[in-house]
Amino acid sequence: MALHEVREDIPDGFVNSGSAPQDAVLNLRLALVQSDAAGLEKALMDVSTPSSALYGQHLSKEEVEKFVAPSPESVAAVNAWFAENGIEAKTISPAGDWLSFSIPVDKANELLDADFGVFTHEETGQTSIRTLAYSIPADLKGHVDLVHPTVTFPNPFARLPAMVTPPKAKKAVNLTSDAVPASCSSTITPACLQALYGIPTAPAKVSSNKLGVSGFIEQFANQADLRTFLTQFRPDIPAATTFTLQTLDGGRNPQSASQAGVEANLDIQYTVGVATEVPNVFISVGEQFQDGALEGFLDIINFLLGESSPPQVLTTSYGQNENTISRALANNLCNAYAQLGARGVSILFASGDGGVAGSQSTRCTTFLPTFPSGCPFMTSVGATTGVPETSASFSSGGFSNFFAQPSYQASAVSTFLNALGNTNSGKFNRSGRAFPDVAAQGDNVEIVVGGQFGLVAGTSCSSPIFASVVSLLNDELAAQGKSPLGFLNPFLYSTGAAALNDITTGSNPGCNTNGFPARAGWDPVTGLGTPDFAKLRTAVGL
């Protein structure tokens, strides 16, 4: 047997509560090594880089699957190992690179030379069965990528946006000029975003151009609240404008007022309410997720990869600290984002709300990067506050400990690091993938929940807002018969950079430090800046 993955220590906040019951059944998944991950990355960069001859020539589902399908040798080797041990596995991803199987703890300990124990999260009391190391037969090296959930721990702080103020009734502000209304310095509404970023109010035209919003952890998007929101803040569009629903893992979207979710409502109200008339899909991932500690993150990507025409933009306002997830699993999930990107999907995630302390402000001595913001194949969105805009102090940003810095951002990041000098030296990985990439308003954002108006804050406001801008650009591109923007970063760091409002004030404190400062150019608080719609139109060739 060869040691395959090992965790040096139990993650912060968990304690080992002893051996796992031998007959407890573990639902495990096995990822096979993908046949050509390097080829996929090259194809992704070719179709996503404005200076490339292949820019915009996105791949088909079948073309992408060729890169990720495991080799026949890998499939045969793993099937033989399963057969030998009397295990029945089923394929759960479109390209055949993920298998699932269920076995009791005693068999898992034997099969993987592991020691599964019960780990309790002290603050929430949540328990999970995990191991700190596992092995695979030596002859399966190069065939098996990873087994999960083994060394990846759950994310008890799947953080939701903070409600900043108790909901209170507010009067509509009448806009009479292009100037940003004075009220926007204390309350953000769709009209504020239209004024600040030059976002058009004209309805989108192309019905095949879709915007996907992910919903997790039993967060439901309420239709009645959306209607109230649109009536108040977008009286120029039909109040009945709504979204369609897709579900997986037992997902649902019940409509009683008491079940309306702050996060889901925020995400839907600031996509439907900003990306005017772009067809909106709420993808509700239920609690029967099959990917263990990932809370459905992997399931939703496999679900979308299985669709012949997934939404061209996907925004997700959930994340976790990078150190809770195994490196192999982080890599695998990151490659799944690359697969969607190669097919022309823009993937945006909120960067997190703990400043340099990641997705929660725990005690930390070194900075905590968040996942998946450290993945180089997605777009990480930080937050700003106020008018004129400055950095939101909670905006997570920094440098991944797992992923190396991609070439598309090397120049922008080295300019920042040179200016930073020795500040916070040793607290972060200078050569890691740096995030966020961009930012948008994320503080005092007004939403409706359970019929009540209230303000929320978090990068979870910023991601749907930026995603809406991308969707509106895609609509105009599609109307001219052009490709969607797809994976955004190579564009953003080259021709797109000058089309963003550079945020140069503020910082993101955490871990008993002042965090990083915002400054001219890219910085790990607000990235390259916030959108300027007119300039972005020009930059994308409209």
Side-chain angles (χ1 to χ4, degrees):
M1 296 289 276
L3 184 65
H4 196 65
E5 285 195 277
V6 63
R7 249 205 113 88
E8 299 307 315
D9 46 27
I10 301 172
D12 221 11
F14 288 88
V15 289
N16 186 340
S17 309
S19 292
Q22 297 299 291
D23 55 355
V25 173
L26 299 175
N27 297 317
L28 298 173
R29 308 186 135 201
L30 180 143
L32 291 149
V33 170
Q34 299 174 347
S35 52
D36 190 6
L40 173 68
E41 183 176 344
K42 182 184 184 309
L44 171 71
M45 290 304 169
D46 284 344
V47 299
S48 309
T49 305
S51 58
S52 153
L54 295 172
Y55 183 58
Q57 296 178 32
H58 299 119
L59 280 63
S60 68
K61 178 174 184 283
E62 293 68 29
E63 287 169 329
V64 167
E65 285 169 2
K66 280 201 185 87
F67 287 113
V68 295
S71 70
E73 295 77 25
S74 294
V75 175
V78 169
N79 282 342
W81 181 49
F82 279 158
E84 204 175 289
N85 288 282
I87 292 169
E88 276 182 50
K90 65 173 201 279
T91 303
I92 51 168
S93 65
D97 53 329
W98 278 95
L99 307 173
S100 70
F101 60 103
S102 299
I103 51 175
V105 166
D106 55 357
K107 184 151 188 178
N109 280 337
E110 185 189 341
L111 184 77
L112 300 169
D113 197 6
D115 179 14
F116 280 94
V118 174
F119 292 87
T120 306
H121 185 254
E122 290 171 293
E123 211 166 307
T124 59
Q126 189 182 324
T127 62
S128 12
I129 297 178
R130 296 291 186 269
T131 179
L132 296 179
Y134 70 94
S135 301
I136 57 171
D139 58 1
L140 289 183
K141 280 278 184 200
H143 297 304
V144 171
D145 183 10
L146 64 108
V147 179
H148 171 73
T150 48
V151 297
T152 289
F153 278 66
N155 177 30
F157 289 109
R159 274 285 286 270
L160 294 175
M163 272 304 244
V164 183
T165 61
K168 54 181 185 287
K170 295 184 67 95
K171 276 198 131 73
V173 180
N174 282 326
L175 281 182
T176 47
S177 74
D178 285 345
V180 179
S183 60
C184 297
S185 51
S186 56
T187 305
I188 292 293
T189 63
C192 294
L193 300 170
Q194 289 158 1
L196 264 172
Y197 300 148
I199 299 171
T201 57
K205 303 179 194 67
V206 182
S207 61
S208 57
N209 172 52
K210 302 190 296 269
L211 169 51
V213 174
S214 335
F216 295 96
I217 53 179
E218 300 283 85
Q219 275 281 312
F220 307 125
N222 189 277
Q223 305 269 9
D225 285 342
L226 176 60
R227 178 184 277 269
T228 305
F229 179 86
L230 293 175
T231 303
Q232 173 81 326
F233 298 118
R234 288 301 308 272
D236 56 320
I237 64 175
T241 306
T242 188
F243 53 92
T244 54
L245 178 68
Q246 291 186 336
T247 60
L248 64 146
D249 292 350
R252 54 203 182 103
N253 195 36
Q255 291 298 305
S256 70
S258 62
Q259 287 174 293
V262 172
E263 181 62 65
N265 273 14
L266 161 65
D267 294 347
I268 283 292
Q269 288 165 21
Y270 279 83
T271 46
V272 176
V274 178
T276 308
E277 304 274 356
V278 170
N280 190 303
V281 190
F282 182 62
I283 306 160
S284 179
V285 184
E287 293 292 274
Q288 300 154 27
F289 40 79
Q290 305 300 308
D291 53 9
L294 287 177
E295 302 275 346
F297 266 33
L298 185 65
D299 289 351
I300 191 172
I301 295 296
N302 279 328
F303 175 77
L304 294 172
L305 284 168
E307 294 186 341
S308 51
S309 48
Q312 289 84 344
V313 178
L314 179 68
T315 173
T316 305
S317 290
Y318 304 81
Q320 61 199 84
N321 285 342
E322 192 180 70
N323 63 1
T324 59
I325 183 171
S326 91
R327 194 178 284 254
L329 187 59
N331 258 319
N332 191 291
L333 197 53
C334 186
N335 284 344
Y337 298 140
Q339 292 172 54
L340 275 176
R343 288 178 58 185
V345 180
S346 303
I347 295 182
L348 295 90
F349 271 85
S351 69
D353 298 340
V356 291
S359 60
Q360 73 241 22
S361 25
T362 47
R363 50 195 188 282
C364 43
T365 46
T366 55
F367 296 166
L368 294 174
T370 56
F371 182 84
S373 284
C375 166
F377 308 137
M378 48 66 71
T379 300
S380 172
V381 188
T384 59
T385 180
V387 181
E389 292 186 278
T390 183
S391 306
S393 59
F394 55 75
S395 185
S396 288
F399 297 79
S400 171
N401 290 318
F402 286 176
F403 298 99
Q405 194 180 102
S407 58
Y408 62 71
Q409 66 171 187
S411 154
V413 175
S414 79
T415 302
F416 173 82
L417 288 172
N418 290 338
L420 186 70
N422 289 321
T423 309
N424 297 324
S425 175
K427 292 190 183 294
F428 66 95
N429 171 25
R430 291 177 76 94
S431 60
R433 149 42 166 167
F435 70 96
D437 300 299
V438 290
Q441 285 280 334
D443 199 11
N444 296 315
V445 174
E446 188 161 10
I447 64 168
V448 179
V449 185
Q452 302 292 307
F453 289 81
L455 305 181
V456 288
T459 52
S460 50
C461 304
S462 316
S463 185
I465 291 167
F466 205 98
S468 294
V469 168
V470 177
S471 265
L472 288 169
L473 291 167
N474 277 346
D475 175 72
E476 290 195 46
L477 288 165
Q480 295 189 8
K482 295 179 175 173
S483 304
L485 291 170
F487 171 46
L488 299 166
N489 296 9
F491 159 73
L492 292 170
Y493 284 88
S494 59
T495 44
L500 297 165
N501 307 306
D502 190 6
I503 309 301
T504 58
T505 54
S507 60
N508 56 352
C511 307
N512 297 312
T513 72
N514 294 328
F516 291 110
R519 60 177 306 281
W522 179 87
D523 55 70
V525 193
T526 56
L528 296 160
T530 62
D532 178 324
F533 198 87
K535 289 182 179 171
L536 282 166
R537 281 186 82 248
T538 307
V540 303
L542 286 164

